[in-house]
Every structure is written in C-alpha cells, then in structure tokens.
Amino acid sequence: MMFKGRDVISILDFTSEDLMKIFRVASEMEAYVKTGVDLLRDRILALLFFEPSTRTMFSFQTAMYRLGGKCLVFSGVERTSIAKGETLGDTIRMMDGYANAIVIRHKIEGAAKYAAEIAEAPVINAGDGSHHHPTQAMLDLYTIWKARGRIGGLKIGVLGDLKYGRASTSFIFGASLFKPETLYLISPPELQVKPEVRDKLGEMNINYVETTDLTNVIKELDVLYVTRIQKERFPDLAEYERVKGSYQINRSLLTGVKDDLMILHPLPRVDEISPEVDETRYAYYFEEARNAIPVRMALLKLILLGD
Ligand code: NCD
C-alpha cells in the first residue's frame, strides 16, 4: 500500500509487508538518529497531546527535528482556546491549516479517527483511550526484528493490563500480523483482553492461550511484553487496588528462561519490572524506547514524502 498522505489509526490498517517497509526505512534512519538528515525541511508536524506523555511526544518531536522539520507542540489544554470551550473538531480544523501532519493523543476512544475524518493532513494516532497506539506497536516489533531478524514463528507472552492497555492491544494485533507460534495472554481474570480482541484473534486464526499464571509459561517464551496496570482507566479505584502489583518480574522469576528471551515494556513502568532486571541480558525496554526515533523518522518520511 502507498504511504504518502496516509492516516495511522490502528496497527491493523497495515499489513506485515507495510510494517517491514517501515522497518527497512527505519534501519536506514539509524545512521541519522544523532546527526540528522535534511529530508523534511520546512515541513511542520503538529503534536496535540491531550493526555500525558514523555516518550511518545518527545520522540516524535526528536524524529521530526532530526529530519530537518519543525513541530508545533500542544500538551495540556490550559494555555489553548480549548480552555475557552473550543471543540476538538475546531481545534483539528485549525491545526490542519497550519501543519503538514498531525499527531494526536486523547482519552476518548475514536478521537484520532474523528480527527482524520476532519483533517486533510495525515493524522497519526498516538493513543486514543484504551483503544489503539499503533506507532508504539511499530517500534516494539522493530525491536524484535532488529534483535532476532524475524518476528513470525515466535512464542510471545503479553503480560499485565490487557483490558485497558492500548499499547498491549496494538502489540497483540501487530504481532499477530506476523503469525506467532503461540501468543500467551497473561493477566488477572479482571484484566483479560476485551471480547472484540478475542474475536479478532479468532478471525486472524491466531493460536492464543489465555492464562493467569506467568510462572508456568515464562520458560517457553521468546518475547515477554510487560505492561503497566492502567490505573487512570479504572472506573472503580477499588478494583485497581485489588489487581495492582499482580505481577512483578524479578531475577528469581527469570531462572531457567530461554537464553535469548527478550523482555519488552512500552514504559512507563511502575513496579511490574524490578530494577534489578535492567542489568540482565533480557532487558530490551530502554533500547525499545530509543528505537522510537528511527521508527518514527521512517514513518514521517514515508507519510510526508512517499515510498
Ligand atoms: C503507553 C501509553 O501511553 O499507552 N506509553 C507509551 O506511549 N510508551 C503505555 C502506558 O502508559 O502504560
């Protein structure tokens, strides 16, 4: 599929070939992550963050600067006309007039899709509620591809809050595009994937197992994708109190795992990976966060300039 002008709303808008194209361009971009390359001079990227962000916002901004472009950054409504009652639709219409592409993060599911319907400029979803976070999945999968040379045929575990986590949902779908040997969905019963995710995995013919028990499966895994329990999305905080701290990865839990097990995490972490794991060969989460730069550079290049 052609990339130029394309919206990025869900990872399922892409095929595994599309993602491989992004990964190949990302590996070309690796040479420029600290020096830059002047491909998008005078192009402007609008970053509209209605929800908190560290990595996603700053890595999009860094990627755009490294490509020679510029950013309009909006984080928090207090200092914009939204504080005066301007609607999301009108805000998008304005930014569409100013920028060449729009990155949006919003707590409402479907916000990015709505923005894409209004804007002529391509819209990139940087997280809509507990729904999708497609560019996070791209850099997660790139991290696997870079280390292992392939993504398909692996045994992949996804751990934590699979109900409210948008990063985990996008990762589950993204990994499924490459046909894992087995996908283990590991969570407390209250935080299992939503029924529509299960339906989609069925439709995609994915061999998946739902379990609460990490210790039973961890030795099988090639990849373990750990996620934070999404406290801010719980309608009832008492429910959060019941499930918080359900899993914690520490060194003793890693005894007997495969030598080349990769532990990923979209970050931020709270207590689900103990800092003692950071020094082990399994920890890939900081590299994963760094991979945001070449992957987002590749995506911006493809969307703004074409293949
Ligand atoms: C994730 C998010 O915002 O969904 N963070 C990120 O973009 N790296 C994961 C999270 O907040 O737990």
Side-chain angles (χ1 to χ4, degrees), residues 46-248:
L47 296 165
L48 309 184
F49 280 74
F50 295 86
E51 276 197 332
S53 176
T54 304
R55 275 151 292 272
T56 307
M57 192 177 78
F58 288 121
S59 64
F60 264 115
Q61 214 174 338
T62 306
M64 193 60 183
Y65 289 145
R66 294 297 190 205
L67 289 165
K70 298 183 173 66
C71 299
L72 297 175
V73 185
F74 159 117
S75 63
V77 298
E78 308 79 21
R79 297 174 63 193
T80 69
S81 286
I82 292 171
K84 302 180 193 167
E86 186 160 57
T87 61
L88 177 61
D90 282 356
T91 305
I92 297 297
R93 265 176 212 104
M94 292 309 109
M95 301 319 287
D96 192 31
Y98 304 155
N100 299 96
I102 298 171
V103 177
I104 179 171
R105 168 173 287 188
H106 201 287
K107 69 173 190 296
I108 296 176
E109 295 188 5
K113 188 160 186 288
Y114 172 69
E117 281 158 15
I118 292 173
E120 273 178 41
V123 170
I124 301 174
N125 185 4
D128 60 325
S130 58
H131 216 194
H132 297 301
H133 192 354
T135 65
Q136 179 66 46
M138 288 171 188
L139 66 95
D140 301 334
L141 295 167
Y142 176 71
T143 305
I144 300 174
W145 177 72
K146 205 168 125 178
R148 303 293 290 256
R150 67 179 174 128
I151 302 168
L154 299 175
K155 292 188 173 177
I156 297 184
V158 188
L159 175 76
D161 185 350
L162 311 186
K163 180 179 181 184
Y164 296 115
R166 57 192 174 202
S168 54
T169 304
S170 290
F171 178 77
I172 287 168
F173 286 147
S176 296
L177 292 171
F178 290 89
K179 297 276 175 265
E181 181 173 322
T182 317
L183 192 57
Y184 295 92
L185 306 178
I186 313 152
S187 70
E190 298 90 332
L191 299 180
Q192 286 183 337
V193 293
K194 297 180 195 134
E196 56 265 32
V197 173
R198 224 170 265 134
D199 292 348
K200 191 76 206 170
L201 293 178
E203 222 176 273
M204 293 170 85
N205 252 320
I206 301 303
N207 178 24
Y208 71 95
V209 176
E210 292 186 83
T211 176
T212 58
D213 190 354
L214 173 65
T215 43
N216 252 345
V217 299
I218 194 164
K219 292 186 183 64
E220 297 285 316
L221 299 176
D222 298 301
V223 175
L224 175 61
Y225 190 87
V226 185
T227 64
R228 173 179 72 89
I229 310 248
Q230 310 276 301
K231 180 178 183 184
E232 69 277 25
R233 311 244 182 253
F234 281 68
D236 176 3
L237 268 187
E239 196 195 336
Y240 170 74
E241 292 298 328
R242 270 198 302 280
V243 292
K244 76 170 188 202
S246 294
Y247 301 98
Q248 197 191 36

Side-chain angles (χ1 to χ4, degrees), residues 17-34:
E17 290 77 31
D18 292 335
L19 295 176
M20 285 309 302
K21 168 106 211 175
I22 296 171
F23 300 161
R24 279 191 292 271
V25 177
S27 44
E28 288 164 29
M29 292 296 122
E30 297 269 5
Y32 309 114
V33 292
K34 283 290 168 75

